[in-house]
Amino acid sequence: MDDSTRARAWRAFWERHANPWSGWSRTVTLPALLYAVYHRRWRLLAATVAFAVFNPILFPKPDDADAWMTKVVLAERYWRESGDRLGVLQLLNVGNGLTTLYAFHAAYRRDVGGATVAGALAMTLKFAFVAALVRRYEGEIEWPTDPPGSSDPVEV
């Protein structure tokens, strides 16, 4: 296990982000961003972006990996670190990205219907994607039971 400062910081980031409060509180990010763009509330936009950036470190490491949102974060970490291409499953992620772009375009044009429907669809695609990641990696994701830099993690 890499014990460099950067590696310990990276593990600490993911461990804190695995707190279910981190994941669930991020679900309001897209609606808040779309609202800010639609209403031209640039301070709200900046505050929401700042929240999204700092959210993964705002909460303490959870005690266990029992919460579904914790499993989501652990599966996402595993996917990113494994380099798995995901095949057809990747279409959910691409669809989410494209739909999110359209939602922002609609919000900027002040098309409330387009922004609302596209925003809801983007969130649905994101939840479908992360749920599929959890199912795909459930047997492979690991939950670190010791502080960063300690012994080997224990499998969930």
Side-chain angles (χ1 to χ4, degrees):
M1 180 181 285
D2 186 1
D3 204 29
S4 68
T5 302
R6 181 177 179 185
R8 285 194 314 270
W10 188 243
R11 282 193 305 273
F13 165 85
W14 280 103
E15 289 169 359
R16 293 174 69 102
H17 185 35
N19 187 312
W21 283 98
S22 176
W24 287 117
S25 64
R26 286 174 67 90
T27 62
V28 300
T29 303
L30 181 60
L33 290 170
L34 294 174
Y35 178 89
V37 169
Y38 181 87
H39 290 285
R40 312 302 196 254
R41 306 267 315 263
W42 307 123
R43 286 185 190 165
L44 176 61
L45 181 71
T48 305
V49 168
F51 171 75
V53 168
F54 291 108
N55 171 282
I57 60 170
L58 292 177
F59 302 95
K61 174 184 169 185
D63 294 329
D64 56 47
D66 294 339
W68 182 77
M69 189 57 80
T70 297
K71 292 176 183 176
V72 164
V73 172
L74 294 174
E76 184 179 24
R77 176 185 183 185
Y78 184 86
W79 166 57
R80 291 180 183 278
E81 291 178 354
S82 73
D84 190 355
R85 289 282 207 212
L86 301 179
V88 175
L89 180 57
Q90 186 65 22
L91 292 175
L92 289 171
N93 205 26
V94 171
N96 165 42
L98 294 173
T99 307
T100 299
L101 288 174
Y102 178 78
F104 278 108
H105 176 71
Y108 184 76
R109 284 189 357 249
R110 292 194 168 165
D111 173 5
V112 70
T116 302
V117 170
L121 180 58
M123 291 179 72
T124 301
L125 290 169
K126 178 65 172 185
F127 275 113
F129 176 71
V130 296
L133 281 183
V134 169
R135 285 191 304 276
R136 182 179 182 110
Y137 298 128
E138 201 152 24
E140 300 172 51
I141 55 178
E142 297 176 340
W143 173 245
T145 57
D146 297 319
S150 301
S151 62
D152 294 327
V154 177
E155 276 197 25
V156 176

